[in-house]
């Protein structure tokens, strides 16, 4: 037997069979996206609230703002947020819409106790929300205040990121944020620290029916 043949035989003897690749299956939670979203969000240190409709969602938000003793709220310049008379709903709170140049919006966000945004989608697998940002729509509202509240219609829940990618609008803004719970890091000795680089509290008010 030649040296070449001997080497090849050794390689064949040591080779392991290729692992079988299982076909992709739809998520088992596809028919119960609300439950899965809430479970994943709370596992990521966030909090979920369920409302039957938008009116009830505003009521829940009012109670939550009172609970954390919020005094200043900055609101993303998006519908339906900018179309609602928020000072009438929250008469005890100073409400500002995030409009103007970068410095103006930054000043509002740094002074606010709470940032309020809507979302374009919710990812049930990870409890994440998808938020559009870009020109005229500052991401600072979701990043600078210590508390971030999101109003999310249950109809916008999808199983996962791959599903959202397949149904998202073809025209996208310059920035897309995917937020999974409050800011957190484990850079130092792998110890989880919440609120290190952004909001310390992240709450989603999920309203309406699937």
């Amino acid at each position: 037997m030649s040296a070449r043949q001997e080497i090849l035989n050794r390689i064949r003897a040591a080779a392991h069979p290729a692992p079988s690749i299982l076909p992709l299956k739809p998520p088992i939670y596809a028919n119960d996206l609300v439950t899965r979203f809430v479970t994943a969000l709370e596992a990521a240190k966030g909090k979920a609230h369920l409302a039957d409709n938008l009116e009830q969602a505003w009521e829940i938000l009012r109670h939550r703002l009172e609970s954390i003793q919020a005094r200043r709220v900055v609101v993303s310049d998006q519908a339906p947020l900018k179309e609602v008379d928020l000072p009438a709903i929250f008469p005890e709170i100073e409400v500002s819409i995030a409009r103007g140049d970068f410095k103006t919006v930054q000043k509002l966000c740094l002074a606010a106790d709470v940032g309020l945004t809507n979302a374009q989608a919710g990812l049930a697998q990870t409890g994440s929300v998808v938020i559009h940002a870009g020109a005229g729509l500052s991401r600072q509202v979701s990043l600078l205040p210590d508390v971030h509240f999101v109003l999310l219609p249950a109809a916008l829940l999808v199983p996962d990121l791959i599903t959202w990618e397949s149904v998202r609008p073809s025209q996208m803004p310059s920035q897309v944020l995917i937020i999974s719970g409050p800011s957190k890091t484990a850079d130092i000795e792998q110890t989880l620290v919440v609120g290190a680089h952004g909001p310390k509290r992240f709450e989603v008010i999920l309203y309406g029916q699937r």
Side-chain angles (χ1 to χ4, degrees):
M1 179 184 299
S2 66
R4 177 177 180 278
Q5 189 63 45
E6 184 177 353
I7 292 172
L8 291 175
N9 288 342
R10 289 177 182 175
I11 293 174
R12 293 190 185 101
H16 298 286
S20 59
I21 300 176
L22 297 177
L24 290 175
K25 296 181 179 179
I28 60 174
Y29 52 86
N31 294 324
D32 195 3
L33 297 181
V34 172
T35 299
R36 174 62 185 182
F37 178 85
V38 171
T39 300
L41 173 62
E42 294 182 348
K45 309 299 183 184
K47 187 171 181 62
H49 307 274
L50 302 181
D52 293 333
N53 49 52
L54 183 56
E55 182 179 354
Q56 191 179 86
W58 288 122
E59 186 66 15
I60 291 173
L61 179 60
R62 185 176 65 81
H63 284 299
R64 292 301 301 135
L65 293 177
E66 290 176 354
S67 175
I68 65 175
Q69 299 182 329
R71 292 293 174 262
R72 295 185 181 90
V73 176
V74 61
V75 181
S76 182
D77 192 14
Q78 294 175 294
L81 303 179
K82 66 179 180 180
E83 299 168 350
V84 177
D85 186 3
L86 295 180
I89 299 177
F90 312 122
E92 305 297 325
I93 298 173
E94 180 182 328
V95 179
S96 303
I97 303 294
R99 292 178 182 145
D101 59 25
F102 181 88
K103 289 294 185 181
T104 299
V105 174
Q106 183 182 63
K107 185 177 179 179
L108 290 173
C109 293
L110 288 173
D113 305 307
V114 172
L116 173 62
T117 71
N118 64 359
Q120 279 64 51
L123 311 181
Q125 183 182 48
T126 55
S128 308
V129 298
V130 179
I131 297 177
H132 289 177
L137 198 58
S138 178
R139 63 180 181 174
Q140 297 182 93
V141 179
S142 64
L143 298 177
L144 296 185
D146 281 343
V147 181
H148 179 199
F149 282 98
V150 177
L151 289 178
L152 175 64
L156 296 182
L157 288 177
V158 295
D160 48 39
L161 183 61
I162 294 175
T163 304
W164 173 74
E165 173 64 25
S166 69
V167 300
R168 67 170 177 80
S170 57
Q171 294 294 325
M172 295 291 288
S174 61
Q175 302 165 39
V176 175
L177 310 180
I178 299 177
I179 301 176
S180 305
S183 168
K184 46 192 174 289
T185 182
D187 290 344
I188 302 175
E189 297 183 353
Q190 297 184 348
T191 300
L192 184 65
V193 177
V194 176
H197 308 296
K200 298 178 176 64
R201 187 192 300 264
F202 179 72
E203 302 189 18
V204 178
I205 302 175
L206 194 65
Y207 65 92
Q209 304 295 320
R210 280 285 307 160

